[in-house]
Amino acid sequence: MVEFEYNFGAFGIPLFLILMLVEYLALKAKGKSLHSYSDSVTSGSMGACLLISEALLKVYTFGVFVWIWENFRVYDFSSTSLVTWVVFFFGVDFFYYWFHRIAHERNILWGAHEGHHQGEEYNFTTAIRQSAFQYGFSWIFYLPLALMGCPPEVFLGQFLILKGYQFWIHTQGIERVPFIEGIFSTPSSHRVHHAKNPIYIDRNYGGTMVIWDRLFGTWQPELVSEACHYGTTNPTHTLSPLKLNLRHWATMFSDSVHTQKWSDKIGLWFKPTGWRPADCVGADHHLQKEGTADREKYDPYTTLPKKIYAGIATLLTFSSGTMFIFLSPQLELWLKISGALILVSGVIITSSLLENKSKLIPLEMIRLPAMLWFIATLWSYPVTTTVVNTIAMNKTAEQTLAYAGDVSRWPEWHPQSEKVITQQTGTLAAGDQFAEQVDTPIGQNDLSWTVEQYQPGKIWQAKAENQTNGSHIVLTYRVTELAEGGSQFQRTLDYTLPNFALVSANALYFGDIIKEKSASSLQRLQAAINQLGYQSDLAAE
């Protein structure tokens, strides 16, 4: 069973923030003003809502993908094969096209996608402006890939590639790109997709490639004679991420209650996007697929202090959101739910400040301390990594464990153990203490060890406090006799890291090094134990 340990997509958040700043400064240097403060902050708030919903849903929805792959896949593909990665690069992009297209063409899915198109500016902030409910529907479209045999780790990799690629195409700072226009999705082709001009509406659904648009009749190049203008056909007139996320569904729900025709009460959800019963349509209503002419953008006045606070609160949300998303597979359900409430309430309050409203400020007096508590909790949230290695020895279980539990010999076979300081000789027993200096990927660390238990021929276990960085270690050796002679030796290393910096560094960098060195150390231990002269040494003890 493939499982999430961490959600690595979280590290895209700080990267995207840096790129958004770079785009803004580059456009300013060219004398172009293609950002508005309220639109950018609202885009960030909408993106935060999507990330929160993904954190709550992704482990479970990915579990369905894995279950189908494990039990019903038709073909076996190797995740290390280049062919696999090429095949499912096209596969993921193909099914994204169809999700994206249907999300534009049917009322029920448009409600889960409309948020991405509500921004009336078009820049890198638009890339993170997403509907909070989109992931609740989109994952279903990728399940055929599991049935086909796409390895889960390949699907995750290709999905990250798809999402990462789509970021850079949300900009007006890049004109047409030679050689790839009409093949790959580009800023030019995606500007068309976001435009509400009637000629451009509902075109260019491709994620990474637009070959699907060409095949299925939805391709439209950007025209020099027709400048793009952005937003949805029906204006939003709000910055509230709650209202923006629920807007289309709220309209459909209201229509399903008020329409007199029973077939429309249910049928309207599956009708083409923007369709409404005749007895519910207002004079100002337009179908999304019709498009509309350009109009004045919604940018309400607010005071400078409220703008500043809204910006700081949004950055705080993204900082805590990065930790929250990354750690989400490790977090207890209560912490996920309370964190989601803190973050969502924050973006709602931020939007009200941008609309120059003050009625939610008392609530912010409660939420802000809760946010600071949440950040502190995530920063110090302990995460345990377990490394298990097993190897066969040609000595008995008792002989093997006696040597492994003699800590004075650790530097002989463990490459990271530089020096062991102990007053005892031979195999240490429960209650014995010793110190060790170890070489780690992040420098030399000093460990203070206490042996917890020793049962000859069965188990030896010790716990350590890392005096350098505050981590905790549990080391367990288990041995069993083999029927054919000799023994099986299992080394289990559990290390718990005390803060987010170390947890993320472990996940990105030194965790793999520790696993590699742990496996290497067992090979050296095997060579040391199996050497011919060792039998007499053990007998002497």
Side-chain angles (χ1 to χ4, degrees), residues 36 92 119 133 144 178 227 294 355 398 410 415 417 427 478 489 525 527 540:
S36 78
V92 168
F133 305 106
D294 202 2
E355 292 181 317
E398 186 169 349
W410 279 4
S417 182
T427 309
R478 297 181 188 275
F489 178 85
L525 175 63

Side-chain angles (χ1 to χ4, degrees), residues 250-314:
T251 299
M252 290 193 295
F253 180 78
S254 177
D255 287 354
S256 67
V257 171
H258 291 101
T259 185
Q260 299 301 306
K261 196 173 181 181
W262 278 96
S263 60
D264 285 346
K265 289 181 180 292
I266 297 174
L268 69 89
W269 295 82
F270 305 97
K271 292 283 188 177
T273 298
W275 185 92
R276 299 176 65 189
D279 54 356
C280 295
V281 174
D284 60 343
H285 175 72
H286 299 278
L287 291 177
Q288 173 64 20
K289 66 180 182 180
E290 294 172 346
T292 187
D294 202 2
R295 59 172 178 259
E296 185 178 354
K297 297 173 183 177
Y298 180 67
D299 189 14
Y301 166 81
T302 190
T303 63
L304 182 60
K306 288 178 181 176
K307 277 188 174 183
I308 293 173
Y309 186 86
I312 293 172
T314 300

Side-chain angles (χ1 to χ4, degrees), residues 255-455:
D255 287 354
S256 67
V257 171
H258 291 101
T259 185
Q260 299 301 306
K261 196 173 181 181
W262 278 96
S263 60
D264 285 346
K265 289 181 180 292
I266 297 174
L268 69 89
W269 295 82
F270 305 97
K271 292 283 188 177
T273 298
W275 185 92
R276 299 176 65 189
D279 54 356
C280 295
V281 174
D284 60 343
H285 175 72
H286 299 278
L287 291 177
Q288 173 64 20
K289 66 180 182 180
E290 294 172 346
T292 187
D294 202 2
R295 59 172 178 259
E296 185 178 354
K297 297 173 183 177
Y298 180 67
D299 189 14
Y301 166 81
T302 190
T303 63
L304 182 60
K306 288 178 181 176
K307 277 188 174 183
I308 293 173
Y309 186 86
I312 293 172
T314 300
L315 290 176
L316 205 60
T317 296
F318 274 112
S319 298
S320 55
T322 299
M323 292 190 286
F324 179 60
I325 303 305
F326 179 72
L327 293 173
S328 58
Q330 305 277 350
L331 301 178
E332 296 96 332
L333 183 59
W334 74 268
L335 190 53
K336 288 182 182 180
I337 293 173
S338 54
L341 290 174
I342 290 169
L343 294 174
V344 170
S345 61
V347 299
I348 292 173
I349 293 169
T350 297
S351 68
S352 73
L353 295 176
L354 289 174
E355 292 181 317
N356 204 28
K357 298 174 182 177
S358 303
K359 62 181 179 180
L360 295 180
I361 290 179
L363 179 60
E364 181 67 357
M365 298 299 102
I366 300 172
R367 191 202 70 89
L368 183 58
M371 168 70 94
L372 297 176
W373 164 83
F374 184 55
I375 291 173
T377 299
L378 293 177
W379 178 262
S380 60
Y381 191 81
V383 176
T384 299
T385 299
T386 299
V387 181
V388 181
N389 299 101
T390 304
I391 199 166
M393 305 291 186
N394 67 6
K395 298 296 187 289
T396 67
E398 186 169 349
Q399 291 172 330
T400 297
L401 193 59
Y403 181 87
D406 183 352
V407 300
S408 65
R409 285 176 158 151
W410 279 4
E412 298 174 8
W413 58 271
H414 200 295
Q416 287 182 278
S417 182
E418 294 186 332
K419 183 180 181 181
V420 174
I421 304 168
T422 178
Q423 302 300 318
Q424 293 86 6
T425 58
T427 309
L428 298 194
D432 289 341
Q433 296 182 333
F434 63 100
E436 182 186 18
Q437 290 181 350
V438 294
D439 177 36
T440 76
I442 53 175
Q444 188 183 82
N445 286 191
D446 295 314
L447 308 182
S448 178
W449 288 93
T450 300
V451 179
E452 295 291 311
Q453 60 175 315
Y454 173 45
Q455 298 178 39

Side-chain angles (χ1 to χ4, degrees), residues 456-469:
K458 293 183 178 179
I459 186 172
W460 186 92
Q461 186 179 75
K463 292 184 179 179
E465 298 288 331
N466 190 318
Q467 305 300 315
T468 305
N469 59 37

Side-chain angles (χ1 to χ4, degrees), residues 90 93 97 182-185 206 209-216:
F90 287 99
D93 205 54
Y97 169 87
I183 302 172
F184 288 91
S185 189
M209 309 191 76
V210 294
I211 57 174
W212 317 116
D213 291 289
R214 289 181 170 276
L215 284 172
F216 300 114

Side-chain angles (χ1 to χ4, degrees), residues 123-346:
N123 48 58
F124 280 165
T125 69
T126 310
I128 63 171
R129 185 188 188 111
Q130 303 284 344
S131 168
F133 305 106
Q134 178 166 301
Y135 188 76
F137 292 87
S138 64
W139 67 276
I140 299 171
F141 285 78
Y142 299 106
L143 295 182
L145 295 170
L147 194 63
M148 292 166 59
C150 178
E153 60 271 29
V154 174
F155 171 70
L156 284 178
Q158 296 290 14
F159 192 74
L160 288 174
I161 291 171
L162 172 71
K163 290 302 180 183
Y165 182 91
Q166 288 181 321
F167 181 83
W168 81 279
I169 61 178
H170 290 85
T171 184
Q172 297 179 67
I174 300 175
E175 300 299 330
R176 292 176 61 84
V177 183
F179 307 114
I180 67 170
E181 292 289 349
I183 302 172
F184 288 91
S185 189
T186 64
S188 176
S189 66
H190 207 62
R191 286 193 288 269
V192 167
H193 175 71
H194 273 261
K196 63 181 183 290
N197 313 47
I199 193 173
Y200 292 148
I201 203 79
D202 289 348
R203 291 290 183 267
N204 300 358
Y205 298 111
T208 305
M209 309 191 76
V210 294
I211 57 174
W212 317 116
D213 291 289
R214 289 181 170 276
L215 284 172
F216 300 114
T218 53
W219 168 249
Q220 171 63 54
E222 185 178 24
L223 304 175
V224 175
S225 59
E226 183 79 16
C228 297
H229 47 84
Y230 306 101
T232 50
T233 297
N234 291 302
T236 56
H237 296 314
T238 182
L239 299 178
S240 168
L242 183 62
K243 293 178 181 178
L244 291 170
N245 271 297
L246 296 176
R247 185 179 84 131
H248 190 67
W249 284 345
T251 299
M252 290 193 295
F253 180 78
S254 177
D255 287 354
S256 67
V257 171
H258 291 101
T259 185
Q260 299 301 306
K261 196 173 181 181
W262 278 96
S263 60
D264 285 346
K265 289 181 180 292
I266 297 174
L268 69 89
W269 295 82
F270 305 97
K271 292 283 188 177
T273 298
W275 185 92
R276 299 176 65 189
D279 54 356
C280 295
V281 174
D284 60 343
H285 175 72
H286 299 278
L287 291 177
Q288 173 64 20
K289 66 180 182 180
E290 294 172 346
T292 187
D294 202 2
R295 59 172 178 259
E296 185 178 354
K297 297 173 183 177
Y298 180 67
D299 189 14
Y301 166 81
T302 190
T303 63
L304 182 60
K306 288 178 181 176
K307 277 188 174 183
I308 293 173
Y309 186 86
I312 293 172
T314 300
L315 290 176
L316 205 60
T317 296
F318 274 112
S319 298
S320 55
T322 299
M323 292 190 286
F324 179 60
I325 303 305
F326 179 72
L327 293 173
S328 58
Q330 305 277 350
L331 301 178
E332 296 96 332
L333 183 59
W334 74 268
L335 190 53
K336 288 182 182 180
I337 293 173
S338 54
L341 290 174
I342 290 169
L343 294 174
V344 170
S345 61

